[in-house]
């Protein structure tokens, strides 16, 4: 059955569509069509969803029905909308598109694209030797069925040691290996959150976490983070937990995605105590915990303050090692791990044994690999900051002390418009609204520093040209968007 978006819902997503740069040079129907394409491009409007009737959307936007009719007609002509009399109109994609690693629909001829939509590094040189060593270890497992719902014991022990080394005593029985951090979150939500349950998340936050919560039909409340180095407002965060009493709160305390903030130890302790008093479980995403920069000292893990099994930690190897190695994990109490394993049997049974063996060898070489990653990321971050200061000095950016992303405050609510224009000059962006709810965060943009420094400097140069072109009266009308979700 095709899902449907109501007129009021689409109006909220569109936001100030008529005030986008270039609006004064385009008729209303063209600006509306471009705004809808922008929602498709950054993934806030799904593929195959039925749009509201023309009259309903016109009433929601307080514009004439003729404008909506013309916008829908333009979307049909560009291949972004299909209509059938009596059945309505639903979103689709033009031909010659494919699914990219970002989860968006992208054109086939994008080899020269500088992709700033993905915050992940290329594989380290140690991956190939680790894979070879893993194949030599594999025969030890070939005599069995190969199903290990909680993960092979040597990997669980290695992950447990990493927690113990951080000051959080952990046993292998408290670890379940998953197929990536996103898979870990999905399994935790299946166990801890009934459909329609209340959830508190940061704003901005990780888009795929929002997608996972939406799949559970969660009722999401947000706690806003400061754009500068302040990060969490303790009173607001703890007050939100007390007042809303959510079943679950999803937090990224270690170099938060996308802002890069690091939660101080005292707030971690207070958050755990407040969550216990409110009956709230904390899901703590530690995807970036291995990547402090500039000698930053990490606070204790959030679970170190947990005395009541209220904290479930998730992490993985995608950020410090390689995204193509789909290894993640959950750290929880031993009974919770067993319940997660039981829930997992109905999902994917177990993670691949060979991948887990590769992970064992990489973790054994972790000090060397991670130290090199930190040096690489620090240099690339500084190159990106320097390019932004030179070419886009009106943007406000706070240098993060770790992680892989900058959270830039732009000089206007132009994030989605900038992303559409940047695509035309070979730069792919993840605009601010992807990291929030209902079209907010148009003044912000996530910029990862995971690409080589030369690529980052080139990307900023292209963005600067596009940004200044947005305000030039002589700029021609927008070309068609080429990324469809």
């Amino acid at each position: 059955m095709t899902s449907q978006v109501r007129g009021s819902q689409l109006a909220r997503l569109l936001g100030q569509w008529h005030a986008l740069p270039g609006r004064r040079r385009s008729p209303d129907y063209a600006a509306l069509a471009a705004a809808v394409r922008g929602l498709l491009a950054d993934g806030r409007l799904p593929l195959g969803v039925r749009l509201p009737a023309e009259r309903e959307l016109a009433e929601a936007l307080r514009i004439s029905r003729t404008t909506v009719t013309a916008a829908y007609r333009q979307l049909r002509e560009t291949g972004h909308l299909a209509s059938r009399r009596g059945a309505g109109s639903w979103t689709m994609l033009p031909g010659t598109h494919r699914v990219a690693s970002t989860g968006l629909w992208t054109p086939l001829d994008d080899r020269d694209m500088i992709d700033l939509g993905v915050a992940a590094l290329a594989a380290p040189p140690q991956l190939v030797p680790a894979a070879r060593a893993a194949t030599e270890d594999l025969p030890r497992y070939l005599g069995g069925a190969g199903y290990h719902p909680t993960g092979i014991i040597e990997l669980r022990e290695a992950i447990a040691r990493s927690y113990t080394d951080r000051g959080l005593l952990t046993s292998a029985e408290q670890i379940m290996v998953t197929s990536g951090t996103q898979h870990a979150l999905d399994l935790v939500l299946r166990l801890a959150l009934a459909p329609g349950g209340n959830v508190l998340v940061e704003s901005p936050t990780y888009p795929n976490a929002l997608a996972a919560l939406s799949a559970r039909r969660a009722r999401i409340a947000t706690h806003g983070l400061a754009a500068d180095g302040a990060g969490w407002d303790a009173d607001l965060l703890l007050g939100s937990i007390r007042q809303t009493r959510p079943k679950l709160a999803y937090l990224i305390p270690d170099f938060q995605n996308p802002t890069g903030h690091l939660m101080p130890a005292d707030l971690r302790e207070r958050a755990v105590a407040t969550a216990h008093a409110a009956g709230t479980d904390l899901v703590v995403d530690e995807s970036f915990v291995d990547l402090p920069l500039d000698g930053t000292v990490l606070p204790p893990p959030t679970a170190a303050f947990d005395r009541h099994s209220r904290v479930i930690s998730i992490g993985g190897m995608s950020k410090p090692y390689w995204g193509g190695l789909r290894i993640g994990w959950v750290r929880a109490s031993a009974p919770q791990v067993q319940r997660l394993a039981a829930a997992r049997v109905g999902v994917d049974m177990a993670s691949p044994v060979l991948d887990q063996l590769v992970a064992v060898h990489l973790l054994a070489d972790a000090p060397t690999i991670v130290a090199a990653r930190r040096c690489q990321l620090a240099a690339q971050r500084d190159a990106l900051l320097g390019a932004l200061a030179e070419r886009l000095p009106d943007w406000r950016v706070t240098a993060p002390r770790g992680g892989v992303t900058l959270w830039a405050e732009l000089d206007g609510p132009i994030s989605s418009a900038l992303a559409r224009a940047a695509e035309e000059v070979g730069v792919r962006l993840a605009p601010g609204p992807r990291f929030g709810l209902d079209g907010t965060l148009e003044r912000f943009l996530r910029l990862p520093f995971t690409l080589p420094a030369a690529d980052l400097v080139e990307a900023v140069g292209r963005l600067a040209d596009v940004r200044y072109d947005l305000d030039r009266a002589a700029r021609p009308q927008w070309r068609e968007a080429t990324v469809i979700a």
Side-chain angles (χ1 to χ4, degrees):
M1 179 180 294
T2 302
S3 60
Q4 182 172 2
V5 60
R6 296 191 299 272
S8 58
Q9 294 171 325
L10 184 54
R12 285 200 305 273
L13 289 173
L14 287 167
Q16 299 297 320
W17 61 272
H18 54 280
L20 291 175
R23 160 65 186 89
R24 63 184 179 275
R25 296 178 295 278
S26 301
D28 284 350
Y29 76 86
L32 178 57
V36 172
R37 288 195 298 270
L39 294 177
L40 290 167
D42 64 31
R44 285 179 286 145
L45 187 61
L47 187 68
V49 70
R50 187 160 56 194
L51 296 186
E54 295 170 0
R55 184 184 301 278
E56 180 185 354
L57 182 58
E59 292 176 354
L61 295 175
R62 298 181 179 180
I63 59 177
S64 71
R65 182 178 176 180
T66 302
T67 299
V68 177
T69 300
Y72 278 18
R73 181 173 62 249
Q74 186 177 94
L75 290 169
R76 285 192 295 270
E77 291 171 351
T78 58
H80 298 83
L81 197 65
S83 300
R84 190 168 64 246
R85 185 178 297 276
S89 301
W90 57 95
T91 54
M92 58 179 293
L93 64 148
T96 68
H97 283 64
R98 62 175 174 82
V99 179
S101 59
T102 59
L104 302 180
W105 294 93
T106 59
L108 292 172
D109 55 348
D110 63 351
R111 296 184 185 89
D112 296 327
M113 185 71 65
I114 300 177
D115 194 346
L116 297 182
V118 177
L121 293 161
Q126 293 88 345
L127 182 62
V128 172
R132 289 181 179 138
T135 60
E136 296 176 0
D137 295 339
L138 186 60
R140 292 190 284 110
Y141 287 88
L142 298 181
Y147 297 122
H148 303 271
T150 56
I152 63 174
I153 186 61
E154 52 197 300
L155 179 55
R156 294 166 67 200
E157 288 175 344
I159 297 168
R161 280 195 300 272
S162 70
Y163 278 101
T164 300
D165 291 343
R166 291 171 54 202
L168 178 60
L169 185 63
T170 302
S171 66
E173 289 72 25
Q174 293 176 269
I175 300 296
M176 185 176 80
V177 178
T178 63
S179 299
T181 310
Q182 185 69 17
H183 180 222
L185 176 59
D186 181 75
L187 289 174
V188 169
L189 294 180
R190 289 172 183 267
L191 179 68
L193 185 67
N198 293 331
V199 178
L200 179 68
V201 302
E202 299 149 338
S203 179
T205 192
Y206 181 46
N208 289 341
L210 293 175
L213 291 169
S214 296
R216 297 294 295 170
R217 302 194 301 278
R219 290 181 288 177
I220 302 173
T222 61
H223 160 67
L225 297 183
D228 57 19
W232 297 265
D233 183 308
D235 290 338
L236 288 177
L237 172 59
L238 303 181
S240 296
I241 295 175
R242 295 189 191 102
Q243 293 167 19
T244 62
R245 305 181 71 87
K247 178 65 180 69
L248 183 149
Y250 171 77
L251 303 176
I252 313 175
D254 298 289
F255 311 118
Q256 200 263 355
N257 185 6
T259 64
H261 294 316
L262 180 64
M263 183 181 287
D266 62 331
L267 182 53
R268 297 177 188 225
E269 183 174 13
R270 294 171 65 191
V272 172
T274 303
H276 173 61
T280 298
D281 292 325
L282 295 182
V283 177
V284 175
D285 189 335
E286 299 180 318
S287 295
F288 302 93
V289 73
D290 292 320
L291 298 174
L293 306 178
D294 307 325
T296 296
V297 178
L298 289 173
T302 305
F305 303 104
D306 183 24
R307 302 291 181 271
H308 306 281
S309 298
R310 283 291 182 188
V311 177
I312 300 176
S313 304
I314 61 175
M317 303 190 70
S318 295
K319 303 307 179 183
Y321 298 91
W322 187 46
L325 186 67
R326 302 308 301 149
I327 294 294
W329 53 78
V330 178
R331 185 210 178 270
S333 68
Q336 287 173 317
V337 166
Q338 290 304 310
R339 289 196 293 272
L340 283 167
R344 179 182 192 167
V345 171
V347 180
D348 73 337
M349 301 294 288
S351 296
V353 172
L354 184 58
D355 287 15
Q356 295 183 69
L357 290 171
V358 174
V360 170
H361 286 279
L362 288 174
L363 290 176
D365 201 13
T368 300
I369 297 174
V370 173
R373 294 302 221 189
R374 292 172 181 170
C375 291
Q376 174 188 357
L377 287 168
Q380 291 171 184
R381 177 203 59 188
D382 293 344
L384 179 57
L385 287 169
L388 289 170
E390 179 182 354
R391 298 300 307 274
L392 290 161
D394 292 334
W395 291 10
R396 296 177 55 190
V397 183
T398 300
R401 293 183 289 162
V404 301
T405 62
L406 303 179
W407 185 240
E409 182 177 358
L410 311 182
D411 54 341
I414 59 170
S415 187
S416 294
L418 183 66
R420 293 195 297 270
E423 190 83 17
E424 300 180 7
V425 296
V427 179
R428 180 170 297 127
L429 300 174
R434 291 203 68 198
F435 300 85
L437 298 175
D438 293 333
T440 59
L441 304 175
E442 275 288 3
R443 291 186 63 90
F444 296 91
L445 181 68
R446 188 188 75 171
L447 295 170
F449 42 91
T450 49
L451 294 178
D455 289 346
L456 295 173
V457 172
E458 173 65 21
V460 171
R462 297 183 192 181
L463 290 180
D465 292 340
V466 168
R467 173 64 192 99
Y468 297 135
D469 279 351
L470 291 179
D471 293 330
R472 288 171 54 187
R475 177 174 170 82
Q477 200 167 324
W478 290 104
R479 290 163 51 192
E480 301 302 333
T482 55
V483 180
I484 305 300

